[in-house]
Amino acid sequence: MSKKTLSTRPYKGTRDFYPEDYRVHQYMFDVIRTVLYRFGYEEYMAPLLEETDLYRAKSGEEIVNEQTYSFEDRGGRDLTIRPEMTPSLARMVARRSGDYTYPLRWFSIPNLYRYERPQRGRLREHYQVNVDIFGTESKYADIEALDVARSLLTEFGATSEDFEIHINDRRLIHAVYSEVLGLSEEQSYALSKLVDRKDKISTEEFQSQVREIVAQDTAKHLETLLEKDSFEAFVAYLREISSDNQIVEDAIQSFETFLNGVRQVGMSNVIFDFELMRGFDYYTGFVFEVFDTHPDNNRAMFGGGRYDNLLEIFDQPPMGAIGFGMGDVPLWVFLETHGLLPQVEDRIDAYVCVLDTQYLAAAYEYTQMLRSHDFSVVMDYSGRKLSAQLKTADRKNARFALCLGEQEVRNETVTVRTLATGEQETVSFEKAVALLKQV
Ligand code: HAM
């Protein structure tokens, strides 16, 4: 029987992070953490595995039926690798809801698994920055969520021309569907799922599927509403086709107040988008997504919204919550596209070169002493020629090469070579430490 050769590729849609890539990844998350700490968010984490029921309760059919990695454990329990973090977060808050003072501002950067067709900006494993506020219904929490989202991008050097924030509101959608278009709950649900998929199918297909759910007149109204590219134009048309209706007027008023608040805090790139649905069933109010304005990166980079009822799945009273997720894959594409990814280099302080293997023990002690001063230091054990060791020091991007040979060991000195300039001097150990401390 022939032996099967194992592939060295990672599983489809997942990535290996070699150090040169992982450095960039960590740099991205360092910038993100800086912003989130500035806004007063605390970091949490949850397990990779959850009981499948957690997602069945409210995530939505597409994700549960088509995109999860689910299996039975050895004890017969139905488990799923987390496809999103929000249900785990809700579970954690529900479990200890009495222990905290609200609002909570929490964030997490978990890896998530979704069985998707891998493509530019979408993979099967991705890391997602989750930012959530629990325990407030204030409009200012919604505004803060948008402000955090904006700040995450501007901290990398992006400007408001580089991205757009699309917003909508489930209450407004619900008011229009039921009060203006007169749809039943089933029709509304089916239509919202269809609108959510609108970009994935052709216009003809979309129009014909709309007409399978609602009558021709209603379909026309819906299509016109979806085409309106400003909130003002949308409201004008809505008032044209609906008689005075308090529920609709309340939804309009509430959205208008929110929109004004957003503009007041200086967000000019926020766009009303009645097509924006968000796939998850748990959203109850304001929803949003952030898009790159560059045409090469047309998938959403962030998505989120208000979900005030998620704790109900744990038999707890509703609690106001708002949050969003931002994927590392589209963020990376965004930063690359706009030239905002810096060269992130690995750098060590010193590379200890040893001129003869008989001095290795002395050099090792010396290296330990340097590390006790908090310097990052690598020692060469190879016994190779000095020129070869210096070449490695250069490749390791060391600031200094510290060379120890017979003279140095005898005199308790060290030869310090500044790699950028090639200058060198032989100094005492104490002086070497002082030189390394200079930036
Ligand atoms: P989501 O829209 O499914 O929302 O994901 C949020 C973001 O994660 C997307 O905009 C995208 O950047 C990224 N993302 C999602 N799937 C993939 C994938 N397969 N590959 C790469 N990136 C991906 C949620 O997951 C909600 N739980 C977010 C939330 C938090 N809502 C409230 N709090």
Side-chain angles (χ1 to χ4, degrees):
M1 227 170 72
S2 70
K3 209 169 126 204
K4 193 174 166 236
T5 319
L6 283 178
S7 166
T8 55
R9 285 168 178 257
Y11 165 63
K12 186 174 176 178
T14 67
R15 292 160 292 172
D16 289 326
F17 290 97
Y18 285 85
E20 57 273 28
D21 298 328
Y22 203 52
R23 264 202 301 279
V24 181
H25 215 230
Q26 290 309 309
Y27 159 79
M28 281 178 8
F29 294 151
D30 286 349
V31 172
I32 286 163
R33 285 195 171 89
T34 306
V35 175
L36 294 172
Y37 291 140
R38 195 183 296 149
F39 276 86
Y41 285 72
E42 295 176 276
E43 191 162 2
Y44 68 95
M45 189 42 81
L48 185 66
L49 292 177
E50 292 277 7
E51 300 216 10
T52 304
D53 280 346
L54 184 66
Y55 306 106
R56 284 200 190 107
K58 274 228 169 171
S59 284
E61 280 164 18
E62 188 194 6
I63 201 146
V64 178
N65 296 340
E66 296 167 27
Q67 296 189 340
T68 49
Y69 285 85
S70 298
F71 61 96
E72 202 180 281
D73 77 0
R74 289 171 202 275
R77 291 171 207 88
D78 248 344
L79 298 183
T80 289
I81 303 179
R82 62 183 173 215
E84 57 155 338
M85 196 61 161
T86 314
S88 303
L89 169 63
R91 181 180 61 65
M92 284 172 66
V93 173
R95 180 154 175 246
R96 293 194 27 198
S97 60
D99 293 358
Y100 291 104
T101 41
Y102 295 90
L104 297 179
R105 288 182 172 79
W106 283 7
F107 82 94
S108 190
I109 314 181
N111 55 338
L112 309 176
Y113 278 80
R114 295 183 188 180
Y115 193 77
E116 291 202 48
R117 192 171 58 78
Q119 52 193 294
R120 189 172 159 82
R122 285 290 180 276
L123 293 175
R124 289 184 173 171
E125 183 196 43
H126 76 282
Y127 287 77
Q128 195 188 85
V129 180
N130 275 255
V131 179
D132 291 86
I133 310 180
F134 260 87
T136 172
E137 281 167 22
S138 167
K139 282 243 178 302
Y140 271 88
D142 300 9
I143 292 172
E144 179 178 311
L146 285 187
D147 195 12
V148 172
R150 162 181 68 173
S151 303
L152 288 178
L153 294 179
T154 54
E155 190 73 12
F156 285 100
T159 66
S160 53
E161 279 88 57
D162 297 332
F163 62 95
E164 277 174 0
I165 304 177
H166 289 221
I167 62 175
N168 198 1
D169 196 309
R170 286 260 173 110
R171 283 161 302 192
L172 184 65
I173 298 167
H174 185 73
V176 172
Y177 281 14
S178 68
E179 302 296 318
V180 181
L181 303 181
L183 308 186
S184 69
E185 248 182 60
E186 291 74 41
Q187 283 174 311
S188 290
Y189 188 77
L191 203 59
S192 66
K193 291 288 164 193
L194 180 59
V195 173
D196 191 38
R197 290 194 300 116
K198 184 169 177 287
D199 284 345
K200 297 184 186 150
I201 54 181
S202 69
T203 310
E204 296 72 39
E205 208 175 319
F206 175 73
Q207 290 178 343
S208 100
Q209 288 192 26
V210 170
R211 282 155 184 78
E212 282 170 25
I213 304 170
V214 299
Q216 169 73 4
D217 280 3
T218 314
K220 275 260 170 258
H221 287 323
L222 175 79
E223 281 153 14
T224 312
L225 285 169
L226 290 175
E227 276 162 19
K228 298 293 176 197
D229 55 9
S230 77
F231 186 60
E232 291 70 23
F234 170 85
V235 170
Y237 186 72
L238 202 55
R239 289 194 174 128
E240 230 176 80
I241 60 171
S242 63
S243 43
D244 255 1
N245 180 310
Q246 204 46 49
I247 298 175
V248 178
E249 283 305 318
D250 287 349
I252 292 174
Q253 284 297 320
S254 155
F255 195 76
E256 217 158 41
T257 316
F258 171 60
L259 206 53
N260 291 337
V262 168
R263 289 184 178 145
Q264 243 166 32
V265 299
M267 271 184 266
S268 52
N269 53 351
V270 173
I271 291 167
F272 169 67
D273 180 357
F274 196 57
E275 268 183 29
L276 180 71
M277 283 295 157
R278 306 278 304 134
F280 300 105
D281 289 347
Y282 48 68
Y283 293 115
T284 51
F286 154 66
V287 285
F288 78 100
E289 279 182 351
V290 180
F291 291 88
D292 189 343
T293 47
H294 199 285
D296 286 356
N297 186 21
N298 58 3
R299 306 284 308 251
M301 296 195 284
F302 300 47
R306 187 161 266 290
Y307 53 103
D308 291 340
N309 300 335
L310 197 48
L311 294 201
E312 283 178 351
I313 64 174
F314 308 102
D315 271 338
Q316 295 212 358
M319 184 190 287
I322 163 91
F324 65 84
M326 171 177 78
D328 67 322
V329 190
L331 175 66
W332 194 314
V333 176
F334 174 82
L335 296 176
E336 247 177 2
T337 310
H338 294 273
L340 299 171
L341 260 191
Q343 285 283 330
V344 189
E345 284 177 347
D346 188 29
R347 206 159 167 71
I348 57 169
D349 292 313
Y351 191 83
V352 175
C353 304
V354 189
L355 270 61
D356 191 305
T357 48
Q358 62 178 306
Y359 306 121
L360 283 177
Y364 201 92
E365 242 180 74
Y366 178 58
T367 302
Q368 281 180 310
M369 185 273 285
L370 290 171
R371 290 190 189 127
S372 75
H373 283 275
D374 248 5
F375 297 121
S376 57
V377 189
V378 170
M379 174 181 148
D380 195 311
Y381 314 130
S382 68
R384 291 174 301 166
K385 283 197 302 219
L386 178 63
S387 58
Q389 296 190 36
L390 287 174
K391 221 178 243 169
T392 312
D394 243 348
R395 215 171 294 132
K396 289 285 306 169
N397 215 1
R399 289 164 59 219
F400 297 99
L402 304 180
C403 308
L404 286 169
E406 189 193 343
Q407 293 264 328
E408 286 86 355
V409 172
R410 189 171 346 108
N411 302 334
E412 296 198 353
T413 55
V414 61
T415 300
V416 179
R417 188 183 172 96
T418 309
L419 285 166
T421 61
E423 282 167 23
Q424 64 177 47
E425 54 180 322
T426 303
V427 296
S428 67
F429 287 173
E430 293 73 32
K431 176 85 191 293
V433 168
L435 281 175
L436 258 70
K437 279 195 176 145
Q438 289 172 8
V439 185

